[in-house]
Amino acid sequence: MRLAVVVVTWNGESWIDACIASVASQDEAPHLVVVDNGSTDGTVAIVERRRTELEERGAELEVLRLDTNTGFPSGANHGLDAVLGEVEGVLLLNQDATLASGCLAALKDAFSRHDRAGALGAKTLYPDTGHIQHAGGYLELPRMAGLHHGHHEPERKGEFDEECEVEFVTGAAMALRSAALREVGLFNEVFSPGY
């Protein structure tokens, strides 16, 4: 399975270098698309400085520059449009997120073992705290409030590490099967600039 990574940026110079470095350090170099939503800082220059490193590792880097901040749904759709015909899956990754070693390989493995899965999530941690931000989500009835498994709990070895079905996953690190996206469509841009 070929998996691409799409990162939507906006004025992310504080985080984007660590994000791109974590993608570059994966075992298998992916097709990386950075969609910049009209940044006015050095975000794009920082990404471009990583180009040689990415290409030496066999990764493809594509930078799509939008003139204005169109919001996450539109930015993500630009990135998805760029790769959907070429890959079997896409990881949407926030500009302030970093991938643990082996993350892309684990996502590809999970897609191959669960051929009906349209979306996969990843356990995400708050930086420098060792506390869980997201380990899958659920809706609390009757208000339908979206809550995260493990939210703010300290990470303990083995806890929230088992695969399970959840009601939603966070867009901070969300892998989507290309066939599912072609079937249901891309993000509804009526929610721009939010998510």
Side-chain angles (χ1 to χ4, degrees):
M1 167 180 240
R2 186 148 186 248
L3 192 68
V5 177
V6 171
V7 180
V8 178
T9 61
W10 182 73
N11 289 344
E13 68 181 1
S14 297
W15 311 285
I16 195 61
D17 193 53
C19 176
I20 301 303
S22 76
V23 173
S25 71
Q26 296 297 300
D27 295 335
E28 186 178 314
H31 183 151
L32 172 62
V33 178
V34 175
V35 181
D36 185 72
N37 256 332
S39 290
T40 57
D41 65 1
T43 299
V44 173
I46 292 167
V47 171
E48 287 294 349
R49 282 197 295 267
R50 289 276 180 185
R51 183 177 291 279
T52 301
E53 174 189 1
L54 288 160
E55 290 174 350
E56 284 174 355
R57 293 191 40 81
E60 300 171 55
L61 172 63
E62 191 171 348
V63 178
L64 305 177
R65 296 185 77 168
L66 307 180
D67 293 332
T68 60
N69 186 353
T70 62
F72 177 80
S74 175
N77 286 347
H78 276 86
L80 293 169
D81 280 337
V83 296
L84 269 187
E86 303 171 24
V87 296
E88 291 77 39
V90 179
L91 173 66
L92 288 175
L93 185 65
N94 275 7
Q95 68 182 358
D96 62 346
T98 57
L99 299 176
S101 177
C103 183
L104 293 182
L107 289 168
K108 290 187 334 187
D109 179 60
F111 268 135
S112 69
R113 288 183 289 104
H114 304 285
D115 61 352
R116 293 182 41 84
L120 300 173
K123 180 168 70 173
T124 59
L125 305 175
Y126 286 108
D128 304 324
T129 69
H131 286 76
I132 296 169
Q133 179 180 9
H134 179 83
Y138 61 97
L139 299 174
E140 183 182 63
L141 299 174
R143 298 180 306 127
M144 300 297 284
L147 302 173
H148 297 218
H149 294 289
H151 193 239
H152 286 292
E153 292 182 25
E155 186 190 25
R156 296 176 190 91
K157 186 172 176 65
E159 194 170 23
F160 299 109
D161 288 347
E162 297 297 318
E163 292 177 1
C164 65
E165 190 169 322
V166 295
E167 294 177 359
F168 68 89
V169 296
T170 181
M174 176 177 22
L176 303 166
R177 189 182 298 273
S178 297
L181 285 169
R182 284 191 288 273
E183 184 177 329
V184 301
L186 302 183
F187 288 97
N188 188 334
E189 295 184 19
V190 73
F191 297 106
S192 283
Y195 49 92

